[in-house]
Amino acid sequence: MPVPVPRQRAAVESGQARAASPPGTPAGQGPARTKPPADTLTLLVIEEDPAGSPIVPEMLDAGGRPIRLRTARNLTEAERLLTDDVHCILLDLALPAPGRAAEENDELAVLRHVLHLAPRHAVLALTTSGDAERGAEAVRVGAQDYLFRDELDGRLLSRAIRYAVERKRSDTAERRLTESKLRAQENARLERGLLPTPLLDGSSLRFAARYRPGRSRALLGGDFYDTVRTPDGTVHAMIGDVCGHGPDEAALGVELRIAWRALTLAGLCGDRLLSTLQQVLEHERENDEIFATLCTVDITPDGRRAGLCLAGHPSPLIVRPQRPAELLPYDGNGPALGLLPHARWPRTQVELGPAWSLMLYTDGLIEGRVGQDGERLGQDGLVALVRRRLAEGLNGEELLRTAVNEVRHLNGGELTDDVAVVLLDREP
């Protein structure tokens, strides 16, 4: 059944009284109604007897434009009239509360109902001058302000509407900003917690790492790394890269890292470990096209030898005294995890020597651009870069930091791919 439109609303819905028909207008037709400007304020009044309200219809906003008025005799009518172009609600607190709320003997039940019904709208509470305490409580509950019925006039109400609308906008913006900051802080704490803490207690090796996700404003990308020392004294290091750059890839990288640590501490190594990680990847990935590259190194307790497994990943770079920096052997490079079922990854034995630095990295470090023609840095370019820095006397964490910064400089700015670099050092 259509909702009856009060006379007062019909007269002021467009912000002005209906004018006389101009000459030549057919009988029974008024002038064409012009659409009000988009920024014209609209007030919805909810009270039992809107026709008897002392509200002055000729209310003006800050720009001198008439404030449009809508009236509703109850909450049912109000809900139908509460469209997106309504800016403010003037609610009579004496209005009966609906249904169960009325049975709870809550003096502000009707206000709570309206606030639930219109959480994005400014609300003004209307009460009597002898009930200021109730008005103040209405503000504490969620209204932007309260007004006394017997002191109300058009000028006061116009000012109160403008104030309520701006305060609501300000409160909404502040709440959204606070929620955004809290989400960002929570995400930062979560992502920092997901980055590994090396377990190298009892080892003489030094550890350093650099991590830079390619996603804007992210702390975690699809690259992952870890280092642990098992009870027999062997140090295990790993670095990997999940294809893609989104949050799903970052989550999968975390799962693979945690799985690698658990399997390593359980005694798995080499092909057995990578086969199990591939099963984890196959079960956790979103589709069959997702894969991950991986490099694992297990260093003997005396630090002189290591076993190397590559799953579609760039070979580590080794630096030794009196010898130029070079790549470890990569002839036995197996396929990336998730590409071939029942794949195998051979383990290559490597002689490290008494003193060395071992750099593990993801392809984000070597795929940066260099020169005017836009060529990739590549593994050979990385080796040459490290050799230059070694000739300047850099080593350890300073070498790692300088190398990563130079790669960014050669690229002409931030690298678009995730970058992870791990450096392990052993002194004689």
Side-chain angles (χ1 to χ4, degrees), residues 215 222 242-243 245-255 284 286:
R215 287 186 298 137
V242 177
C243 68
H245 309 288
D248 292 335
E249 288 77 12
L252 182 56
V254 171
E255 291 181 87
E284 297 297 330
E286 286 193 337

Side-chain angles (χ1 to χ4, degrees), residues 198-208 226-230 233-237 297-306 352-358 360 396 422-428:
L199 299 179
L200 290 175
D201 291 344
S203 172
S204 61
L205 300 184
R206 295 184 303 175
F207 171 88
D226 205 351
T227 306
V228 299
R229 180 176 183 267
T230 48
T234 302
V235 171
H236 303 260
V297 177
D298 54 278
I299 304 168
T300 57
D302 63 6
R304 291 176 172 269
R305 292 174 302 280
L352 299 178
W356 45 265
S357 293
L358 194 62
L360 287 67
V422 170
L423 188 68
L424 290 170
D425 286 322
R426 183 178 188 271
E427 296 179 347

Side-chain angles (χ1 to χ4, degrees), residues 110-370:
V110 65
L111 173 62
R112 299 182 198 276
H113 185 84
V114 169
L115 292 174
H116 175 75
L117 190 68
R120 296 181 289 108
H121 292 74
V123 177
L124 290 170
L126 186 62
T127 186
T128 61
S129 57
D131 202 5
E133 184 176 347
R134 189 180 185 186
E137 182 62 24
V139 173
R140 286 192 289 270
V141 167
Q144 272 58 60
D145 203 350
Y146 67 94
L147 300 170
F148 297 135
R149 175 186 291 275
D150 47 353
E151 296 180 4
L152 199 61
D153 59 33
R155 185 176 180 181
L156 173 62
L157 180 57
S158 299
R159 185 169 61 250
I161 292 171
R162 296 196 300 270
Y163 168 78
V165 169
E166 292 305 320
R167 180 175 177 182
K168 184 64 178 181
R169 288 174 179 169
S170 177
D171 291 345
T172 300
E174 184 177 357
R175 184 183 71 253
R176 289 176 178 172
L177 178 61
T178 300
E179 291 174 351
S180 177
K181 288 181 178 179
L182 290 175
R183 283 196 300 269
Q185 292 171 0
E186 185 65 23
N187 290 339
R189 285 193 295 268
L190 177 62
E191 291 182 324
R192 280 195 297 268
L194 293 175
L195 289 174
T197 300
L199 299 179
L200 290 175
D201 291 344
S203 172
S204 61
L205 300 184
R206 295 184 303 175
F207 171 88
R210 286 289 182 275
Y211 192 93
R212 187 182 299 274
R215 287 186 298 137
S216 175
R217 299 182 180 180
L219 295 179
L220 203 62
D223 290 4
F224 54 98
Y225 66 89
D226 205 351
T227 306
V228 299
R229 180 176 183 267
T230 48
D232 64 356
T234 302
V235 171
H236 303 260
M238 170 273 288
I239 197 164
D241 181 3
V242 177
C243 68
H245 309 288
D248 292 335
E249 288 77 12
L252 182 56
V254 171
E255 291 181 87
L256 292 175
R257 180 190 69 77
I258 294 174
W260 177 88
R261 175 176 284 201
L263 294 170
T264 299
L265 293 175
L268 272 66
C269 185
D271 183 74
R272 288 180 60 206
L273 188 149
L274 293 178
S275 297
T276 308
L277 280 181
Q278 174 157 283
Q279 295 180 37
V280 174
L281 172 65
E282 291 171 346
H283 283 90
E284 297 297 330
R285 64 186 176 183
E286 286 193 337
N287 59 71
D288 294 342
E289 297 181 357
I290 301 296
F291 64 90
T293 66
L294 197 70
C295 167
T296 67
V297 177
D298 54 278
I299 304 168
T300 57
D302 63 6
R304 291 176 172 269
R305 292 174 302 280
L308 171 66
C309 284
L310 297 173
H313 200 88
S315 182
L317 185 151
I318 187 168
V319 177
R320 288 174 281 209
Q322 312 304 320
R323 296 175 60 176
E326 59 182 346
L327 299 174
L328 289 181
Y330 50 86
D331 295 337
N333 198 334
L337 301 181
L339 290 183
L340 299 176
H342 313 297
R344 290 291 177 263
W345 296 270
R347 179 174 175 272
T348 303
Q349 192 73 23
V350 179
E351 292 293 331
L352 299 178
W356 45 265
S357 293
L358 194 62
M359 181 184 293
L360 287 67
Y361 52 91
T362 56
D363 59 6
L365 187 67
I366 58 177
E367 290 186 350
R369 304 290 182 176
V370 295

